[in-house]
Amino acid sequence: MLFTIHSLAAIAATVILPRLASAAPTLVRNDSACRALPGDADWPQEEEWETLNRTVGGRLIRGVPLAEPSCYSTNVSATSEACGTVQREWESMAPFIADPVNVIAPYEQNNTCSPFLAANATATCKLGNMATYAINVSDAASAAAGVKFTHRHNLRLVVKNTGHDFLGRSSGRGALALWTHHLKDKTVVDYCSSLYTGPALRLGAGVQVRELSVFAGANGLRAVGGSCPTVGAASGLTQGGGHGPLSSAYGLGADNTLEFDVVTMDGQHRTVSPEQDADLYWALSGGGAGNWAVVLSVTVRAYRDGPIAAARFSFSREQVTPQVYWNAVEAWMKYVATLNAIPGFRSMVRVDRSGFSLDMATLPNASVGDMQTALAPFHNTLARLNISLSLNETALHPSYLAHSLITEAFRSIVDGSSAGDPLFVVMSNNVSHINHDNAVNPAWRSSLFLINMVLMSSEQAPWPKLQADLAEMNSWQDRLRLVTPGGGSYGSEATFDNQYWKSEYYGSVYYRLLQIKQRYDPGFVLWNQAAVGSDLYRLRDDGRLCTA
Ligand SMILES: Cc1cc2nc3c(=O)[nH]c(=O)nc-3n(C[C@H](O)[C@H](O)[C@H](O)COP(=O)(O)OP(=O)(O)OC[C@H]3O[C@@H](n4cnc5c(N)ncnc54)[C@H](O)[C@@H]3O)c2cc1C
């Protein structure tokens, strides 16, 4: 059938839900079915934290709300230049990426220390849902020390890398965070195994997408990463699936893993691969982020670099009637099936109130002529509809790095101008030809599109407005679900409260993953929202994680 939409992915870019008002810490005896929180009688004593700090070579860091030093401390004013800087940088993500505990997801922040509210006389600043302590992980020993400490003291453990996670999976109230952001080693490897022989890259868990592209490019190689330059290439992205401009050519990030260097929840340092702890390797390759082990590094396939044919075009909505505009959008959606048949072709399209924009089409190892031929039938359709293009460019980029840097620049311009409007990003999806067994949601293999729904909100929006935004986002998802039977969602760009999360984020691999979880982490030392097995536990209203 030409036009079968099998994919549904909801992106909760700024989906916000109030949760966990800060409770005043009173000394309570913790119910052992629950993880300890600060203020509990069994919360570790200061000396015990100090011992942990010595064990990890002074790398233990106390969590501080991001806005506290500049906006809430004594001797600082909410109207100071320093607090203004925090406000300006809040949206850029950079301060969150560089911080050991603070994460980007607004509902996880829950306005517990908002720089925008600091001038309000009743405003308070608390850590809220952010981890209480973090270990700046430098090696297996420091990660293992953290795992053992949480076991011993019945604490919640989370792994934080860049803090990008939409579902808030890299934070947790009262948690000890293992912060892997500074594991930046990158090595080119001549890999040889029963699975694969050829060039590969060994990437420390903290390597981000841009760093991966730059390093690979400098070595005449390319590898699958995401579209966003700051996402962690070797951690959350790969464990959750990982789509990017090269996914149609080489599969998802998870399809390209060869081995992981990890610390498991028994404190063991292991190298896992299809030959060693094969089931854990399988789960780490697409089975959901932050639920299996602490990843120190991953080794991924790399490919010889070469030219990339690129294209972008856009047309405004106002030049034709709404009916004609939507006919054009529909024509594109149908045409994606044709484009998906071209090996390596990937496109990313935005549809919003102002119009339609092909942000970038990617065709590796092809010419400008190949790209023009691929797009010509759709351009002919637009001509028949009397739609003229406001932008129409094709180019040959000499390498994947050049291609991704140009895409990145263009994307930041588009992002900067779309705030406030609902936005649908439609990516052609053609990863089915990658025949590699792993824990990736099988819906990836049979889908025509990946649709990201984005709703930007103001940081100063009151909770009722943010809740309304979340409700609206979920209602869009409900409507798309009805027309995509048998589809799924990308669990790393999703809402945390989707009642169909098991089937939509994991599909048929869910129960195999659950068995692996029970084998490698039977005590659920790692727990996060909408993760495999997470319904065996629940977050109480005071933020306490307990058995369900
Ligand atoms: C602006 C933006 C753009 C995005 N673009 C893309 C894209 O193009 N393609 C795509 O596929 N996804 C994309 N995503 C989604 C992204 O893949 C997920 O948010 C991913 O979980 C981020 O991983 P991280 O390690 O960077 O972030 P974190 O928030 O630090 O971690 C995310 C999850 O991974 C776990 N984790 C992190 N490090 C480790 C580790 N060392 N060991 C074990 N677990 C770990 C955490 O515990 C958490 O569960 C985007 C997200 C954002 C916010």
Side-chain angles (χ1 to χ4, degrees):
M1 188 166 23
L2 180 66
F3 186 39
T4 305
I5 309 174
H6 271 167
S7 173
L8 161 62
I11 186 166
T14 49
V15 164
I16 295 139
L17 193 70
R19 189 152 56 83
L20 315 183
S22 303
T26 46
L27 212 60
V28 292
R29 178 152 296 283
N30 180 29
D31 166 358
S32 64
C34 301
R35 300 284 146 75
L37 286 180
D40 287 352
D42 52 356
W43 180 257
Q45 304 292 313
E46 276 302 305
E47 312 83 71
E48 290 168 309
W49 287 110
E50 279 162 23
T51 304
L52 174 63
N53 188 31
R54 280 195 298 278
T55 307
V56 297
R59 304 179 78 85
L60 184 69
I61 304 166
R62 193 187 290 269
V64 175
L66 203 56
E68 185 184 280
S70 301
C71 303
Y72 285 90
S73 299
T74 35
N75 302 329
V76 299
S77 150
T79 53
S80 68
E81 179 52 32
C83 188
T85 303
V86 174
Q87 292 177 11
R88 280 193 298 282
E89 290 180 346
W90 203 253
E91 226 181 277
S92 78
M93 300 193 288
F96 295 94
I97 293 169
D99 189 272
V101 301
N102 287 278
V103 300
I104 293 164
Y107 65 83
E108 203 67 12
Q109 293 168 7
N110 194 14
N111 273 348
T112 44
C113 187
S114 167
F116 304 100
L117 301 175
N120 185 333
T122 57
T124 55
C125 176
K126 302 227 166 85
L127 256 182
N129 297 319
M130 305 304 128
T132 307
Y133 283 95
I135 294 174
N136 183 2
V137 172
S138 55
D139 53 16
S142 51
V147 170
K148 288 174 188 161
F149 190 82
T150 53
H151 264 301
R152 198 174 319 124
H153 295 284
N154 185 33
L155 303 180
R156 188 166 167 196
L157 182 73
V158 295
V159 188
K160 195 218 164 198
N161 184 28
T162 67
H164 271 76
D165 202 80
F166 288 115
L167 293 83
R169 294 177 297 185
S170 39
S171 60
R173 190 182 178 84
L176 172 63
L178 298 180
W179 188 33
T180 57
H181 177 58
H182 290 117
L183 296 172
K184 296 283 191 186
D185 282 354
K186 300 173 277 298
T187 323
V188 178
V189 184
D190 284 325
Y191 202 80
C192 182
S193 75
S194 59
L195 182 69
Y196 171 78
T197 298
L201 299 172
R202 182 162 297 132
L203 305 168
V207 173
Q208 293 164 262
V209 166
R210 162 96 61 79
E211 295 164 338
L212 164 61
S213 301
V214 169
F215 179 74
N219 287 283
L221 299 168
R222 51 170 85 133
V224 175
S227 308
C228 172
T230 52
V231 165
S235 288
L237 180 118
T238 306
Q239 291 171 47
H243 64 88
L246 294 175
S247 296
S248 296
Y250 309 122
L252 298 170
D255 294 327
N256 285 278
T257 61
L258 297 167
E259 63 181 53
F260 293 88
D261 189 30
V262 301
V263 170
T264 40
M265 290 306 107
D266 54 4
Q268 296 298 309
H269 181 195
R270 309 172 193 228
T271 298
V272 306
S273 69
E275 280 133 11
Q276 187 69 39
D277 290 310
D279 46 359
L280 183 56
Y281 161 82
W282 184 87
L284 282 161
S285 303
N291 202 29
W292 311 103
V294 187
V295 173
L296 303 171
S297 73
V298 61
T299 305
V300 296
R301 295 173 200 230
Y303 304 87
R304 294 284 162 221
D305 205 0
I308 305 255
R312 58 184 176 132
F313 63 80
S314 58
F315 53 89
S316 67
R317 179 179 156 155
E318 75 218 358
Q319 62 177 304
V320 285
T321 63
Q323 184 58 52
V324 172
Y325 174 77
W326 288 110
N327 285 349
V329 174
E330 185 184 350
W332 174 263
M333 304 295 263
K334 289 181 178 171
Y335 192 56
V336 166
T338 304
L339 293 172
N340 274 359
I342 302 171
F345 186 96
R346 192 156 202 268
S347 61
M348 188 162 84
V349 152
R350 290 169 182 249
V351 182
D352 65 22
R353 285 196 180 132
S354 61
F356 177 105
S357 161
L358 174 80
D359 282 4
M360 191 58 81
T362 302
L363 191 53
N365 306 327
S367 67
V368 165
D370 294 332
M371 180 60 90
Q372 286 166 340
T373 304
L375 295 174
F378 182 68
H379 286 165
N380 292 340
T381 303
L382 293 180
R384 277 197 301 280
L385 293 170
N386 281 326
I387 291 178
S388 49
L389 300 173
S390 40
L391 171 84
N392 185 13
E393 288 177 3
T394 43
L396 190 67
H397 298 149
S399 66
Y400 178 65
L401 176 61
H403 178 74
S404 60
L405 291 177
I406 292 162
T407 312
E408 211 179 275
F410 182 62
R411 184 179 172 172
S412 66
I413 295 165
V414 176
D415 278 347
S417 64
S418 65
D421 285 344
L423 179 71
F424 286 73
V425 182
V426 181
M427 281 162 271
S428 58
N429 181 50
N430 178 26
V431 297
S432 55
H433 61 288
I434 304 295
N435 183 21
H436 176 42
D437 180 36
N438 56 24
V440 160
N441 182 344
W444 278 104
R445 312 300 184 196
S446 57
S447 299
L448 193 54
F449 307 122
L450 170 68
I451 301 177
N452 286 356
M453 301 185 291
V454 183
L455 192 55
M456 306 294 279
S457 301
S458 157
E459 279 91 357
Q460 296 172 64
W463 284 118
K465 162 78 174 105
L466 300 175
Q467 284 178 284
D469 284 353
L470 178 66
E472 186 167 9
M473 174 83 63
N474 284 328
S475 75
W476 295 345
Q477 183 162 258
D478 292 341
R479 278 152 63 185
L480 282 179
R481 183 179 296 115
L482 290 175
V483 293
T484 56
S489 285
Y490 179 31
S492 287
E493 294 179 333
T495 50
F496 68 89
D497 58 345
N498 170 8
Q499 60 173 313
Y500 304 109
W501 62 273
K502 285 186 189 174
S503 58
E504 291 186 358
Y505 300 175
Y506 301 94
S508 58
V509 299
Y510 184 85
Y511 288 99
R512 182 169 168 195
L513 282 168
L514 185 58
Q515 286 174 347
I516 296 170
K517 177 71 177 171
Q518 283 164 335
R519 176 162 171 215
Y520 285 93
D521 185 16
F524 281 77
V525 177
L526 289 171
W527 180 93
N528 55 49
Q529 306 270 13
V532 167
S534 58
D535 54 342
L536 297 172
Y537 288 74
R538 72 182 178 90
L539 278 177
R540 291 189 182 167
D541 289 345
D542 64 352
R544 197 177 284 281
L545 180 64
C546 303
T547 47

